[in-house]
């Protein structure tokens, strides 16, 4: 059973979500509020996944809302009406685990919640487009092989296992990782350890 909370100041959307999720046996809507502050003021345990509207009328920055929810122990799936790629990238950098526009159907929403609850990123066409369009100088451009090695290594594999998975030698795999670290250093985001690499992968929505 996955517990879900919804934070949105659109009452009609909240009512619609309540009706939708009532028909999904393994998802349980445990809270629905207009602000993150209201949700966190509740007495119950943190929901596994929070469906969070990107822009709320209380004026709180999306990044601040995401960080508060993550600190409370929830994973966050952003929901928005507009696929603004800058906002999407910013949300993922702040710790959001996925992004959907509100025109998706129930099976897509359920699949995204399941991915997020399992600790993965919920991919969507909007998210893929945002990453492709992101040109922020703090996000280094990684070559396909560099990215592949980074993903394997950051997933927990050893350097040798990473090399086998990528079909290259351990020496070449280390060279790719060194290049990745150097690119992040040049972007002003020093990256020294495997944990650092994991963080960068998540911050840039590359996992």
């Amino acid at each position: 059973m996955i517990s879900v909370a919804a934070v949105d100041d659109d009452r009609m959307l909240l009512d619609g979500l309540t009706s939708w999720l009532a028909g999904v046996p393994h998802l349980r809507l445990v809270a629905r509020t207009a602000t993150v502050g209201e949700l966190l003021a509740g007495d119950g345990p943190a929901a596994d996944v929070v469906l969070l509207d990107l822009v709320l009328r209380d004026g709180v920055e999306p990044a601040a809302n995401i960080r508060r929810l993550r600190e409370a122990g929830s994973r966050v799936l952003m929901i928005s009406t507009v696929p603004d790629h800058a906002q999407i990238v910013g949300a993922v950098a702040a710790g959001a685990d996925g992004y959907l526009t509100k025109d998706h159907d129930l099976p897509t929403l359920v699949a995204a919640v399941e991915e997020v609850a399992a600790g993965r990123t919920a991919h969507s066409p909007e998210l893929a487009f945002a990453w492709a369009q992101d040109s922020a100088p703090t996000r280094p451009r990684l070559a396909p092989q560099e990215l592949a090695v980074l993903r394997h290594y950051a997933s927990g594999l050893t350097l040798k296992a990473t090399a086998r998975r990528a079909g290259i030698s351990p020496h070449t795999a280390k060279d790719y990782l060194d290049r990745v670290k150097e690119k992040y250093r040049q972007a002003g985001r020093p990256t020294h350890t495997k944990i650092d690499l994991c963080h960068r992968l998540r911050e840039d929505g590359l996992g």
Side-chain angles (χ1 to χ4, degrees), residues 2-99:
I2 300 172
S3 60
V4 179
V7 179
D8 200 304
D9 44 29
D10 182 337
R11 181 63 180 272
M12 290 180 67
L13 182 133
L14 289 178
D15 288 345
L17 277 175
T18 301
S19 176
W20 264 17
L21 297 181
V24 184
H26 62 291
L27 301 186
R28 183 166 60 96
L29 186 64
V30 297
R32 34 178 282 181
T33 65
T35 68
V36 169
E38 290 176 31
L39 178 65
L40 297 181
D43 297 329
D48 297 322
V49 178
V50 175
L51 306 178
L52 175 64
D53 188 18
L54 183 64
V55 181
L56 297 170
R57 283 194 290 268
D58 65 356
V60 178
E61 289 293 322
N65 279 331
I66 294 166
R67 285 193 290 269
R68 290 180 69 193
L69 292 169
R70 295 286 304 187
E71 289 168 2
S74 297
R75 300 182 69 82
V76 181
L77 176 60
M78 300 302 298
I79 306 292
S80 179
T81 55
V82 180
D84 183 303
H85 80 263
Q87 290 184 328
I88 296 173
V89 170
V92 173
D97 302 283
Y99 189 104

Side-chain angles (χ1 to χ4, degrees), residues 75-78 92 96-100 108-109 111-117 119-128 131 207:
R75 300 182 69 82
V76 181
L77 176 60
M78 300 302 298
V92 173
D97 302 283
Y99 189 104
L100 288 179
T108 301
L109 175 63
V113 170
E114 292 170 342
E115 285 293 296
V116 169
R120 297 184 290 268
T121 299
H123 295 279
S124 65
E126 300 85 19
L127 194 51
W131 287 335

